[in-house]
Amino acid sequence: MPFTIEKDFEDALIKRLTELPNQWSPDILEYKTEQELINNWADFLNQNNNLPDRLNNCPLTDGEMRQVLAKLNSTPYETNKLLSGNLIPITRDNPDDLQHLGKTIYLFIFDKDKIGGGNSKYQIARQPRFTTDSEILGNRRGDLMMLINGMPLIHIELKASNHHVSEACNQIEKYMKLGVFTGFFSLVQMFVAMTPEETVYFANPGRLGMFNPDYQFHWANFNNTPINDWEDIARNFLSIPMAHQMIGYGTVADGADNTLKIMRSYQYYAAIKVYARAIDENVWDAHTQEGGYVYHTTGSGKTLTSFKCAQLIASSKKVDKIVFLMDRTELWKQTFIKYRGFAVSEQVDDVTSTRDLIAKLCSGTGPEDDSSQLIVASIQKMSRITIENGANPLDVQKIQKKRIVFIIDEAHQ
């Protein structure tokens, strides 16, 4: 359905996003200032952290909220690491909280796994008011900001049917140059540019980042058929749980270049499918484990996909070790460097010998122990872990009892 007037498109999109149960709240935040949205976030922080070991029934003070905001205004890479950690530390200055006054407490802000209920709430801020760096140009209003637990994690710019989607991308880039996405609004992780006939999405590149069209992606279904119609986008890509999952599962903070990356649709589906096979569908005690293949063409992001698979599996706390197996030394070193860049809280270890690999596989006391949970090794080192090659029988027995997931690069080799 075409829309020649942008406001009509905006109205229709909001209606579609809010009409289903357990979706975005129908109570729209209209024309709110940054401070009003910050106050809204503070309400969520108070509500979600009113526990004896956190706020202890003593709401956040203005000073404590300033501490929270001071953690922001950084790069999208740093913001993503903050979200991945789930918690923000502050020093209590509320005199009513005698138990914690002057002490550090940790506030819950986001959990990628708690979707559609519990501590996760979903709101839409319509036409939020932006303050720019320029007194001459004045302030601006965006189209839609999607708030999870009060945080503006997704920003949407709309254009009517007689415009190209690139114009919405250009609008976002213009706002970035004007200093809009700083402070509280630096929480934005994903941008969405929409017309009724076409939608692209991309990671927040940061104020100094490049708005490269090569990293502006179209969403597609599981069979990789592109989805562009606005109603299909609203029902699928922007719905709950997908929108929440794109922030929690679909983004990767890349420490190699301090940028935020976002997964293409086929990468997302691959990671979710691998996770389901390894965790949801697998019964370890049955000893009937099955593997699978994910086919990637050259340059389509298989390293990122494989790491995200491992990261999701590790976060389940249901496996002991995840081993990335490479078929040659130069690939092993290259992959290890990339994985180290992608890792936020995970520890990624490489191995120098078969003996070192045995030690790392034997280490740890179970899924709750994160020591060397992700290991990068060569197939050659792994193949030598046999009693015939001199491995200690007790070590081999110990490894065989562990719950280990193998991710094999260049598996067709």
Side-chain angles (χ1 to χ4, degrees):
M1 175 182 176
F3 290 92
T4 57
I5 299 175
E6 186 178 307
K7 183 182 181 301
D8 293 342
F9 180 28
E10 189 176 284
D11 290 339
L13 179 60
I14 290 174
K15 182 176 184 298
R16 184 69 74 244
L17 290 171
T18 59
E19 66 184 359
L20 297 175
N22 301 318
Q23 293 290 313
W24 299 95
S25 170
D27 299 322
I28 307 302
L29 305 175
E30 302 265 5
Y31 311 113
K32 298 298 183 182
T33 64
E34 181 176 6
Q35 186 57 54
E36 287 173 321
L37 292 175
I38 289 173
N39 294 342
N40 177 69
W41 186 28
D43 290 340
F44 277 97
L45 291 173
N46 284 320
Q47 176 183 326
N48 288 336
N49 292 280
N50 193 22
L51 300 170
D53 62 338
R54 293 182 187 171
L55 293 181
N56 198 25
N57 204 32
C58 300
L60 290 164
T61 66
D62 291 343
E64 289 168 341
M65 199 62 203
R66 283 194 293 271
Q67 290 183 56
V68 172
L69 293 170
K71 306 290 184 182
L72 311 181
N73 205 18
S74 55
T75 65
Y77 163 79
E78 293 291 343
T79 300
N80 190 266
K81 291 204 300 179
L82 192 70
L83 293 171
S84 297
N86 299 344
L87 304 170
I88 286 182
I90 64 165
T91 301
R92 288 244 73 179
D93 65 16
N94 189 332
D96 294 333
D97 188 0
L98 297 176
Q99 181 180 348
H100 300 116
L101 185 62
K103 298 179 181 178
T104 299
I105 63 170
Y106 292 86
L107 303 176
F108 164 81
I109 57 169
F110 179 76
D111 191 326
K112 68 180 185 302
D113 298 315
K114 293 182 178 179
I115 301 173
N119 291 335
S120 296
K121 305 295 181 184
Y122 308 97
Q123 298 170 294
I124 298 175
R126 179 176 187 170
Q127 297 282 314
R129 299 180 184 181
F130 295 146
T131 301
T132 69
D133 290 345
S134 172
E135 295 182 3
I136 298 175
L137 295 176
N139 296 335
R140 293 287 188 271
R141 287 210 304 255
D143 288 334
L144 301 177
M145 275 196 160
M146 320 303 281
L147 279 58
I148 301 179
N149 294 344
M151 295 181 292
L153 301 181
I154 303 171
H155 178 76
I156 303 175
E157 278 297 318
L158 308 173
K159 293 295 179 184
S161 293
N162 54 340
H163 294 267
H164 192 269
V165 72
S166 61
E167 295 182 46
C169 296
N170 293 339
Q171 185 70 58
I172 294 170
E173 184 174 5
K174 182 185 295 184
Y175 284 155
M176 183 67 76
K177 291 178 179 177
L178 289 172
V180 162
F181 298 108
T182 57
F184 178 63
F185 294 130
S186 68
L187 282 164
V188 172
Q189 295 286 282
M190 180 173 75
F191 289 118
V192 179
M194 293 184 68
T195 70
E197 297 79 23
E198 185 176 6
T199 295
V200 297
Y201 68 98
F202 50 99
N204 184 350
R207 194 166 188 184
L208 301 178
M210 296 290 291
F211 281 77
N212 188 340
D214 290 342
Y215 299 106
Q216 296 169 359
F217 307 132
H218 292 85
W219 190 249
N221 64 18
F222 183 81
N223 296 317
N224 211 29
T225 302
I227 297 175
N228 274 303
D229 180 76
W230 73 272
E231 290 188 273
D232 290 335
I233 289 290
R235 279 192 294 262
N236 294 280
F237 182 59
L238 294 178
S239 67
I240 304 301
M242 182 62 75
H244 189 133
Q245 290 172 335
M246 281 304 295
I247 301 301
Y249 300 156
T251 57
V252 177
D254 189 349
D257 53 9
N258 291 341
T259 60
L260 178 64
K261 290 180 169 57
I262 198 162
M263 299 176 80
R264 298 169 174 88
S265 53
Y266 60 80
Q267 292 175 299
Y268 169 83
Y269 290 124
I272 294 299
K273 196 71 173 177
V274 170
Y275 177 88
R277 172 60 61 87
I279 302 301
D280 297 336
E281 303 168 7
N282 184 33
V283 181
W284 288 94
D285 294 338
H287 301 292
T288 57
Q289 282 73 30
E290 294 182 336
Y293 294 96
V294 176
Y295 289 91
H296 266 298
T297 59
T298 301
S300 58
K302 64 183 177 63
T303 302
L304 177 60
T305 304
S306 63
F307 177 80
K308 199 64 185 183
C309 290
Q311 190 179 51
L312 293 178
I313 292 169
S315 70
S316 74
K317 302 296 184 183
K318 294 182 179 180
V319 302
D320 299 303
K321 302 288 179 180
I322 301 165
V323 183
F324 301 97
L325 288 180
M326 310 298 154
D327 69 339
R328 54 191 185 275
T329 302
E330 60 271 20
L331 184 61
W332 156 55
K333 291 180 178 178
Q334 172 186 327
T335 302
F336 172 68
I337 292 171
K338 287 187 177 180
Y339 285 161
R340 270 282 175 90
F342 293 149
V344 177
S345 58
E346 304 84 9
Q347 179 178 336
V348 181
D349 281 356
D350 65 345
V351 294
T352 57
S353 64
T354 298
R355 179 176 295 182
D356 187 25
L357 177 57
I358 291 173
K360 286 181 167 60
L361 288 173
C362 288
S363 68
T365 56
E368 296 298 324
D369 187 333
D370 290 334
S371 61
S372 305
Q373 193 172 14
L374 307 183
I375 302 169
V376 180
S378 68
I379 290 176
Q380 292 79 6
K381 291 184 180 67
M382 190 71 210
S383 66
R384 289 195 290 269
I385 303 181
T386 64
I387 295 173
E388 291 76 13
N389 283 322
N392 186 320
L394 294 178
D395 288 339
V396 173
Q397 187 178 30
K398 187 173 184 179
I399 292 170
Q400 288 174 336
K401 290 181 179 180
K402 286 184 176 288
R403 301 183 175 195
I404 303 175
V405 172
F406 292 95
I407 297 177
I408 304 174
D409 199 9
E410 305 283 0
H412 63 281
Q413 301 272 19

